Amino acid sequence: MRQEIHQTNEVFTPSKPAKKTFIERETVREKLVRALMTPGKQIVVFGHSGVGKSTLLQNKLLQTYEHHITTRCMRGMKFDQIIFDAFSQLDSYYISEKTQKNEIGFKISVEPPKLFTDIKSQFEIHRKSEGQNKLTPIIPPQLTPPTLGKLIGESNACWVIEDFHKIEDGEKHYLSQLMKVFMDLSDDYPSLKIIAIGATNTARQVIDYDPEMKHRVSEIHVPLMTAEEIKSIVVKGEALLNIGFPELFKNLIVQHSAGMASVAHTLCLNICYSANVLETAPSSIKITKKNWDEALLSYIEESSDNIQSSFEKALNQKRKSKFHHEKIIIQALCDFKNGEAGRLDLLQKIQREFPEYPNTGFKQRLEKLSLPEKGRILKFNENSGTFSFYDPIYHAYALAHRRAIFESKENSSISPEVTAFLEALEELLSKNKPAEVE
Ligand SMILES: Nc1ncnc2c1ncn2[C@@H]1O[C@H](COP(=O)(O)OP(=O)(O)OP(=O)(O)O)[C@@H](O)[C@H]1O
Ligand SMILES: [Mg+2]
């Protein structure tokens, strides 16, 4: 039987949701599907950036919903823009429904509801009087939350709001009110719901809803991927592209990814490019050490700028204080195996070196270092209750540039040096060599 040909960039997808290598997330699948199928249930999906929230949702929505609309939030976006975005997408739904059904000769009426066309013409009037370029559209008074709910409900869609944590804090409570309205409409429109996604540590950082809504909102935490899950991505990709990764490289990919599917996809894609595999190979190709080395090097080069700017954010001190907390924390964490430690172990280590180092505020400082405004150089591992570097390459950077960063009086990071990086990574890996199984 001839093997189907797949494009490599459709198999390994570091910057878009995975389809061909999609791995079921057993720990969250059932909870998510149950919430999706429960009328009136609103959903908040949260977890680190890159753990697979969008991918999981897209794959599950394909199985449970006829269609959905997705609004992507950006920093500083106002809530009215979100409403406008949802409304605009309904426009294309009603139009495409109409033509599609006409083409295949169905007689069902799919004219947009009158309310919809009325609101649309109100938008047009405003647009003409305000000029084309106005960023925040004026929402016509008819487009109330219940009306938006009804219009989305009529279309049998659900509404996904990506990256809701980026919305200004002052605007967030509107979504909580809108969720309440959507719940109340669920008798008439059982599939109507909002799914808010945020790269945060808790659901409440995505949206702070009223306590009375507690039982009607499902909070779904997407954890870091397990080693087996990451490995399954590689194995699926191998079969699709007709290539073979020696077991050692699979284990190295798992180790480098540290639970982050995005890193695994990047490394695999780089490996394929190095081996010149742009689509399914006609006869099986074995991945070599040279391919792995080149892949890692380009990953480091691609990430250098990001890492430097993350460290800059982390080390930047707004106010001078007795201790440069961030430097002290990062430096202490460097010495733990895998750059990973429990909060109290880390504090003890710091206090051995700085006996006056305060206990108060330590937890908040650690948590802050896992937020985007502080460069997100750390992450909290829910399974083990420990903090670690966001990705082993951050650990390598900290080790490679230790002197320059920690012993300088400056508050900034320094330009990453690829060779120093590679040496540090090699050293890290040799200390923690993955077992060569099978
Ligand atoms: N279940 C999965 N199986 C295979 N690959 C996955 C899976 N989940 C995610 N990925 C891959 O991991 C990467 C990150 O996934 P995704 O964009 O879904 O993460 P995210 O949590 O939505 O991140 P962010 O918060 O930054 O938007 C993508 O390259 C995606 O292809
Ligand atoms: Mg996402």
Side-chain angles (χ1 to χ4, degrees), residues 270 292-302 418-419 422:
N270 289 354
W292 163 259
D293 286 347
E294 280 181 8
L296 188 60
L297 188 65
S298 35
Y299 175 54
I300 288 176
E301 280 170 350
E302 282 160 31
V418 172
T419 9
L422 276 174

Side-chain angles (χ1 to χ4, degrees), residues 182-200:
F182 275 40
M183 284 171 192
D184 295 339
L185 285 171
S186 66
D187 267 351
D188 295 333
Y189 305 104
S191 58
L192 180 63
K193 64 178 79 238
I194 293 177
I195 303 161
I197 310 181
T200 54

Side-chain angles (χ1 to χ4, degrees), residues 52-69:
K53 301 178 294 296
S54 306
T55 303
L56 176 68
L57 209 65
Q58 284 229 357
N59 282 278
K60 289 297 127 196
L61 283 175
L62 279 179
Q63 294 164 8
T64 48
Y65 265 79
E66 221 169 283
H67 76 139
H68 59 272
I69 55 180

Side-chain angles (χ1 to χ4, degrees), residues 75 165 199 313 368 370-376:
R75 277 204 194 285
H165 62 282
K313 283 186 192 153
K368 251 196 167 154
S370 57
L371 297 178
E373 57 264 35
K374 272 289 189 187
R376 202 168 51 197

Side-chain angles (χ1 to χ4, degrees), residues 170-181:
E171 298 273 307
K172 282 188 175 167
H173 62 280
Y174 292 119
L175 184 67
S176 162
Q177 289 164 19
L178 202 60
M179 277 189 165
K180 183 98 199 342
V181 172

